[in-house]
């Protein structure tokens, strides 16, 4: 009788294990189908609306021509293609393609919002996290920035073990410990992929150029800066000058400095490098005292991911298009519209 109960319990355990596996497989299938649907709609848009050839579409999407042929046939069979493309993704795809063409991007990813005035950070973070889950590969050397948007991507990144994966923090730390500290994000990002993290154990801003040179040359930071010359990818966000509160709270920027930056045309910062709408660094001492990898080094990375959004960051995003020339832009739909409208009005 005891043996019978044990058999029943074992069968129940096996049944529950089978149900868990089935649930996990179903979740993976939904995610896979969602990505496939999105890729198929993009291909249909390029082919039927933009009149691109199948070879051109294959080059843009990074797949084979045979795959494009199959996706176009499936779009027809699903009645997604008539005179127009019928899909809830239509407006998002239109915005993505407009951003790609306007700013010369390899890819734009636009996150939908529940309302025009909704906080865009959760949506952008989710879209970024899902993108990074697929984009990060073994053997990569990735430089990362910091900020609220980047920190919120962490829960959306699928953890996996990558071999020979290195994460380099591109900026020194802030004086007050908080979850958006550059070192904290870089370390946790490396942990997700079981990679090695290389941090910059200095303040984000020092008192002089001489101090900066001494720290780099005499305190073992040269290796970190040299690694920045061989990055496979950089992951960055931008801050608006009107909301440079983190900078202020850390004691790095006085209100007088912020006003001086505004007077010189600053619209935002990237790794505490303040720049104008044209993407030129403004003339202010803070740009020489920041302990971060310079922009010229960052532009050498073949993959440059910029993720950011919000009404107060429109000019900062526009300036960053010239400053860093991202290859991948991830933003929300309202920010995308504002950027495109600003360009059309200029």
């Amino acid at each position: 009788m005891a043996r019978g109960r044990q058999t029943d319990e074992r069968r129940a355990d096996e049944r529950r294990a089978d149900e868990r596996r089935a649930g996990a497989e179903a979740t993976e299938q939904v995610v896979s189908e969602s990505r496939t649907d999105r890729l198929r709609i993009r291909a249909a848009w390029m082919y039927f609306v933009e009149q691109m050839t199948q070879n051109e579409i294959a080059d843009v999407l990074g797949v084979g021509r045979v795959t494009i042929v199959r996706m176009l046939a499936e779009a027809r069979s699903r009645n997604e293609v008539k005179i127009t493309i019928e899909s809830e993704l239509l407006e998002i795809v239109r915005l993505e393609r407009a951003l790609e063409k306007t700013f010369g991007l390899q890819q734009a990813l636009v996150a939908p919002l529940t309302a025009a005035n909704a906080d865009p950070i959760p949506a952008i973070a989710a879209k970024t996290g899902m993108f990074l889950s697929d984009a990060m590969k073994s053997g990569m050397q990735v430089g990362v920035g910091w900020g609220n948007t980047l920190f919120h991507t962490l829960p959306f990144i699928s953890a996996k073990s990558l071999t020979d994966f290195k994460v380099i923090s591109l900026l020194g730390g802030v004086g007050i410990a908080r979850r958006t500290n550059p070192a904290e994000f870089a370390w946790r990002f490396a942990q997700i992929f079981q990679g090695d993290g290389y941090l910059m154990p200095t303040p984000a801003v020092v008192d002089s150029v001489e101090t900066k040179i001494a720290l780099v040359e005499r305190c073992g930071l040269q290796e970190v800066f040299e690694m920045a010359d061989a990055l496979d990818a950089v992951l960055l966000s931008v801050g608006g000058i009107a909301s440079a509160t983190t900078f202020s709270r850390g004691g790095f920027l006085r209100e007088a400095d912020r006003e001086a930056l505004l007077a010189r045309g600053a619209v935002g910062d990237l790794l505490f490098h303040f720049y104008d709408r044209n993407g030129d660094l403004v003339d202010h001492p803070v740009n020489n005292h920041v302990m971060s990898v310079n922009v010229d080094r960052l532009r050498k990375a073949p993959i440059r991911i910029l993720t950011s959004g919000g009404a107060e960051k429109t000019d900062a995003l526009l300036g960053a298009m010239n400053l860093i020339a991202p290859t991948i832009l991830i933003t929300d739909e309202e920010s995308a519209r504002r950027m495109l409208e600003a360009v059309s009005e200029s």
Side-chain angles (χ1 to χ4, degrees), residues 95 99 103 110-111 113 116 118-121 124 308-315 317-318 329-342:
L95 288 170
L99 288 171
F103 298 107
V110 173
L113 297 177
D119 180 4
I121 289 180
I124 297 172
S308 201
E312 78 285 359
K313 293 185 180 180
T314 301
D315 286 341
L317 282 166
L318 290 170
L329 172 65
I330 307 174
T331 191
D332 65 279
E333 58 179 311
E334 292 302 321
S335 295
R337 291 190 184 98
R338 284 189 292 267
M339 290 175 70
L340 293 169
E341 288 170 1

Side-chain angles (χ1 to χ4, degrees), residues 135-153:
M136 298 298 99
K137 308 293 182 184
S138 293
M140 289 185 74
Q141 194 161 282
V142 183
V144 300
W146 78 311
N148 204 26
T149 302
L150 289 181
F151 182 83
H152 280 84
T153 66

Side-chain angles (χ1 to χ4, degrees), residues 177-188:
R178 57 169 60 89
R179 63 184 184 178
T180 50
N181 192 307
E184 174 70 11
F185 174 75
W187 183 246
R188 291 184 60 179

Side-chain angles (χ1 to χ4, degrees), residues 261 264 281-285 287-288:
L261 286 163
R264 289 167 170 78
L281 297 180
V282 299
D283 182 16
H284 191 278
N287 283 336
N288 297 319

